[in-house]
Amino acid sequence: MFDRILAMLAKEFIELKRDRWAMVRLIAPLVIQLVIYGYAATFTVNHVSTAVLDLDNSQVSRALISHFVATGRFDIVDYPSSQAQFNRDINTGTAVAGIIIHAGFAKGFANGAGAPLEVAVDGTNSNTALIALGYVSQIVGVFEQERAPPAVGGGIGAAPRAVNISLQARPWFNEGLDDRWFFIPGVIGTLAMMQVISLTAFAVVREREMGTLEQIMVSPIGRVEFILGKTVPFFLIGFGDVALVTGLGALLFHIPFIGGPLVLMLGSTLFLLAAIGFGLLLSTQSRTQQQAFALNFFIVNPFFILSGFAFPIAAMPVALQWFTLINPLRYYIVILRAVFLKGVGVAVLWPDFLALFMLSAIMLVVSVLRFQKSLD
Amino acid sequence: MSDGAPVVHARGLSKRFGDFTAVDRLDLDIAKGEVVGFIGPNGAGKSTTIRMLCGLLRPSAGEAIVAGFDVARQPEAVRAHIGYMSQKFSLYADLTVAENLRFFGGIYRVPREELAARMRFAVTMAGLEGRETALVRTLAGGWKQRLALGCAILHRPPVLFLDEPTSGVEPKARRRFWDLINSLAADGVTILVSTHYMDEAEYCNRIVLIDGGRLVAAGSPTELRKHDLGGALFEMESATLGAALTVLRAAPGVVEAAIFGDRLHVLLAPAADPAALAPLLAARGIAAGPPMPITPSLEDVFVRLVSRHRAPEAA
Ligand SMILES: Nc1ncnc2c1ncn2[C@@H]1O[C@H](COP(=O)(O)OP(=O)(O)O)[C@@H](O)[C@H]1O
Ligand SMILES: [Mg+2]
């Protein structure tokens, strides 16, 4: 058995070595996506382009505006002189957010009768809008606290789209680092999954298309030997992915790693086996690389979205929550976050390990059984 | 296997894809050391038959025994005793000559102490001495095919199935390939080789002609050549072959007309007058040379057999 697997492995690694672009294809997407997720995919929003229509034009209103600028969250791109021009700014997208300080703002602020402030946001990007709205309330709240005489019942009344002026702290208002810590462990799992599933999915199909699979099928090689020879390289690549992204994450984003490396390795092993199982299933289902590509897309994307990576599983419709049970990424992300941020071990994580173990066992057995040494 | 029993034996072998029958109740016997040419037009069912004999496709009906093993029930045992070259070139283009050989040696479990000698043999046979480290993608067609044959016989199989091994290879290299096939047969290897080059039929001990999945004729080249076409054969030249063919096929006394390379072959009923053909063509403004009587080649016989097989009432 070993000699055949070794022959397969030697062949696979020579092919990989001859492929000049293999290293670029394997590493570049990882680094690029890590950097994108690390820097861009946070819930923190900075430099929101903003239009300010100051109808009060008082010292207080100008102080409030400079408060906005000082936080760095908002870039004032225009001071429109009329409501019409203000509307145009928002409608044309020149500004994503708009603040109207109505006449009487200073007076209302001083006597505690309520200072009229209106905020408009471009709802087409609802995420940014909501976050920006949150910032507005924060900034106004801070401003109010610093400035206002403790007039009972006083404050800034914002209308008609009310600004929430309660001073409850929002997590994203801290340093924005929390997001990254939350994201990067998930990124590790996502990237490893994407790479391993697609590499595996294409591996068998490519040989089928090239005609070499038919030549291998007439040889006495066993299915398990063939599949092992084909997938062990991807398992190693997957492990390399996890190590690389973990290292880069620690280096670039200072992600803590308080858990045990062995816990991570065990979790990664089970997860990669499950990913290989799914990739193999795609590969044995596809006749052409195009089919494999399409199937890959329909598997990897739902797995990604329904993994709890960004959207909490508990908030999903029940049917989708059920679907997440067969999603290996779901369990792996729990394990990753726990290992990186919480430092808990198998004693706590065993349900996730067990789920991954069962998933990988089922997927591997099914895909080996589905792989027939026949062209029927 | 007892002496004298056929190495390849098929009875009623059939393959259906949905409701399409690609191979229809084929009987086949090949003796040890025989080279059998499997001939038929594209889509005749040659590859499908070979794949069933290799255990790659399950027969829909009938049985086949290869090297003593049933292809449907013992496909793994069959695989250990055969060498196969698929119709599509199937070596690893990004591996070198030696790496391909070593790979196939590995998956066929050629004993390590013998591998070097057998690789050397295969390299010599393919004429690739000194090019062991060349990437296969850089080799010309003839070398690629000989190397593929070398990979297919590395484990010394007693039976070889070669599916159109010479297609797309230039004539001199084809010739050389057939020399290899015949020298393997001389060593006792049993070989079934499909081809659509009719001239290659001459290199075979026996020919099996199939069309539409059915057996049309079988026999040695000499036997088949003696086949009575049912008329006299003439060759004609014309600059407008297609137009001439249309006219000739409709002409009285013409049993059959076909294009052969840059000429026309016309089969005339025994009573017909060849001299009547030229005026007929001239009347349509088609220039053509005079009909010259020729001895039928094997290819003429195949064409005749296939068309008679397709339309038995017309023949
Ligand atoms: N997997 C398949 N599914 C459906 N039809 C097939 C399949 N393989 C071959 N055929 C059909 O069977 C017929 C015989 O094909 P094949 O054996 O490849 O012919 P040949 O090798 O003589 O050219 C053709 O009409 C082909 O289209
Ligand atoms: Mg064919």
Side-chain angles (χ1 to χ4, degrees):
Chain A
M1 171 153 180
F2 255 9
D3 35 3
R4 285 195 184 130
I5 297 175
L6 282 182
M8 284 289 300
L9 285 179
K11 182 212 91 175
E12 295 291 327
F13 280 114
I14 294 170
E15 283 191 301
L16 203 62
K17 189 184 78 188
R18 295 273 150 77
D19 184 354
R20 262 165 225 270
W21 291 99
M23 278 302 143
V24 176
R25 272 206 319 271
L26 288 179
I27 300 200
L30 285 189
V31 175
I32 290 169
Q33 292 184 64
L34 176 68
V35 168
I36 288 174
Y37 279 120
Y39 287 112
T42 78
F43 291 128
T44 315
V45 175
N46 278 317
H47 304 291
V48 178
S49 51
T50 309
V52 176
L53 176 59
D54 185 359
L55 298 171
D56 192 49
N57 210 5
S58 62
Q59 204 190 338
V60 184
S61 70
R62 281 191 295 273
L64 177 67
I65 293 168
S66 63
H67 238 78
F68 272 93
V69 176
T71 60
R73 302 278 183 216
F74 297 90
D75 282 348
I76 314 262
V77 291
D78 191 24
Y79 290 96
S81 50
S82 67
Q83 180 76 41
Q85 194 188 334
F86 175 88
N87 290 348
R88 204 157 45 238
D89 281 345
I90 300 282
N91 291 340
T92 58
T94 310
V96 174
I99 298 166
I100 303 175
I101 306 173
H102 287 285
F105 179 82
K107 206 156 79 200
F109 190 71
N111 65 22
L117 176 74
E118 189 179 329
V119 180
V121 288
D122 178 356
T124 50
N125 183 346
S126 59
N127 248 346
T128 308
L130 280 174
I131 293 164
L133 216 54
Y135 292 151
V136 171
S137 68
Q138 290 294 333
I139 294 168
V140 169
V142 171
F143 176 79
E144 186 187 14
Q145 216 177 32
E146 279 176 4
R147 279 252 170 177
V152 182
I156 301 170
R161 271 149 286 186
V163 171
N164 175 8
I165 56 166
S166 73
L167 281 178
Q168 56 173 291
R170 280 156 192 267
W172 58 60
F173 197 55
N174 294 331
E175 264 315 304
L177 271 176
D178 278 359
D179 299 350
R180 249 175 232 161
W181 288 7
F182 178 73
F183 267 128
I184 299 283
V187 170
I188 295 172
T190 307
L191 295 184
M193 177 187 74
M194 287 184 182
Q195 196 142 77
V196 169
I197 291 191
S198 62
L199 281 174
T200 317
F202 283 106
V204 182
V205 185
R206 197 166 43 239
E207 291 221 20
R208 196 190 294 279
E209 275 196 349
M210 285 194 316
T212 47
L213 189 62
E214 186 167 336
Q215 204 65 51
I216 287 186
M217 279 177 173
V218 292
S219 83
I221 194 170
R223 307 189 270 193
V224 174
E225 294 168 328
F226 174 74
I227 284 179
L228 272 179
K230 230 31 229 176
T231 53
V232 165
F234 304 135
F235 183 80
L236 297 179
I237 287 172
F239 238 95
D241 287 350
V242 173
L244 179 74
V245 183
T246 304
L248 282 179
L251 210 68
L252 293 178
F253 306 114
H254 312 291
I255 307 294
F257 186 95
I258 27 192
L262 280 177
V263 182
L264 178 63
M265 280 169 76
L266 177 64
S268 303
T269 302
L270 292 175
F271 170 71
L272 291 172
L273 289 178
I276 284 174
F278 277 100
L280 274 175
L281 197 66
L282 297 189
S283 213
T284 49
Q285 288 304 96
S286 316
R287 296 280 128 186
T288 63
Q289 296 200 42
Q290 269 174 0
Q291 276 177 17
F293 184 81
L295 282 176
N296 183 44
F297 186 81
F298 284 114
I299 281 282
V300 167
N301 277 320
F303 276 2
F304 168 64
I305 292 165
L306 303 174
S307 64
F309 173 84
F311 316 110
I313 291 171
M316 294 170 191
V318 180
L320 288 181
Q321 291 193 31
W322 278 100
F323 175 79
T324 65
L325 292 179
I326 62 151
N327 181 357
L329 189 56
R330 169 205 166 133
Y331 305 106
Y332 190 44
I333 282 186
V334 171
I335 294 172
L336 284 166
R337 283 188 181 142
V339 168
F340 277 86
L341 306 176
K342 295 192 210 149
V344 296
V346 183
V348 175
L349 294 171
W350 69 267
D352 298 285
F353 279 98
L354 184 65
L356 275 184
F357 172 77
M358 296 206 310
L359 256 180
S360 54
I362 292 170
M363 291 313 298
L364 287 174
V365 168
V366 167
S367 49
V368 168
L369 290 180
R370 280 213 56 90
F371 178 76
Q372 293 292 338
K373 281 177 69 184
S374 134
L375 300 170
D376 277 296
Chain B
M1 234 175 318
S2 65
D3 265 350
V7 176
V8 176
H9 167 87
R11 281 295 171 274
L13 195 63
S14 306
K15 182 68 188 179
R16 283 185 288 277
F17 296 110
D19 49 14
F20 172 74
T21 305
V23 176
D24 196 4
R25 289 163 288 165
L26 203 66
D27 296 344
L28 192 66
D29 282 299
I30 308 179
K32 184 172 180 333
E34 222 184 351
V35 177
V36 169
F38 206 21
I39 293 190
N42 269 332
K46 304 181 296 290
S47 298
T48 306
T49 305
I50 291 180
R51 284 172 171 158
M52 283 193 283
L53 294 174
C54 290
L56 282 173
L57 285 176
R58 261 192 101 77
S60 312
E63 61 154 9
I65 309 288
V66 171
F69 303 99
D70 187 306
V71 296
R73 271 171 295 179
Q74 303 158 288
E76 284 302 328
V78 169
R79 287 181 187 123
H81 291 84
I82 61 167
Y84 170 61
M85 260 179 85
S86 72
Q87 183 174 342
K88 201 167 159 189
F89 175 73
S90 53
L91 296 184
Y92 292 93
D94 285 328
L95 262 55
T96 65
V97 169
E99 285 161 353
N100 267 290
L101 286 166
R102 205 170 296 124
F103 171 69
F104 284 102
I107 63 170
Y108 276 101
R109 281 228 186 93
V110 174
R112 200 156 302 180
E113 58 278 11
E114 279 183 43
L115 186 60
R118 293 207 201 167
M119 279 174 64
R120 230 171 5 252
F121 173 78
V123 165
T124 313
M125 188 189 84
L128 284 165
E129 299 100 325
R131 302 200 57 189
E132 289 86 347
T133 56
L135 289 185
V136 161
R137 70 163 71 257
T138 65
L139 300 180
W143 273 278
K144 273 190 191 163
Q145 292 307 87
R146 288 196 298 269
L147 178 62
L149 180 63
C151 289
I153 60 163
L154 214 52
H155 57 296
R156 304 247 170 101
V159 190
L160 265 181
F161 294 106
L162 310 176
D163 196 358
E164 301 206 10
T166 54
S167 78
V169 174
E170 47 112 8
K172 235 163 96 186
R174 276 166 52 196
R175 179 72 235 223
R176 213 175 140 185
F177 197 90
W178 277 97
D179 289 343
L180 288 178
I181 291 177
N182 286 312
S183 74
L184 286 168
D187 289 341
V189 181
T190 306
I191 303 169
L192 177 64
V193 49
S194 77
T195 178
H196 64 255
Y197 294 113
M198 308 276 184
D199 57 314
E200 293 184 343
E202 308 278 358
Y203 304 124
C204 305
N205 303 127
R206 215 149 51 80
I207 291 154
V208 172
L209 181 64
I210 66 167
D211 183 49
R214 300 186 114 141
L215 184 78
V216 173
S220 71
T222 328
E223 282 162 9
L224 288 177
R225 215 190 309 271
K226 283 194 203 127
H227 185 85
D228 180 17
L229 296 187
L233 192 69
F234 294 86
E235 188 175 76
M236 293 179 82
E237 288 182 27
S238 174
T240 48
L241 289 174
L245 185 69
T246 316
V247 174
L248 288 170
R249 280 194 168 152
V254 172
V255 179
E256 182 153 17
I259 296 177
F260 271 65
D262 57 352
R263 303 185 176 194
L264 290 161
H265 283 195
V266 186
L267 183 65
L268 284 184
D273 174 18
L277 296 178
L280 216 61
L281 287 167
R284 301 288 187 89
I286 298 167
M292 310 294 281
I294 52 165
T295 327
S297 66
L298 261 182
E299 194 170 353
D300 291 304
V301 175
F302 294 154
V303 168
R304 183 75 197 112
L305 284 169
V306 165
S307 68
R308 196 179 278 169
H309 177 78
R310 282 180 185 176
E313 70 283 359

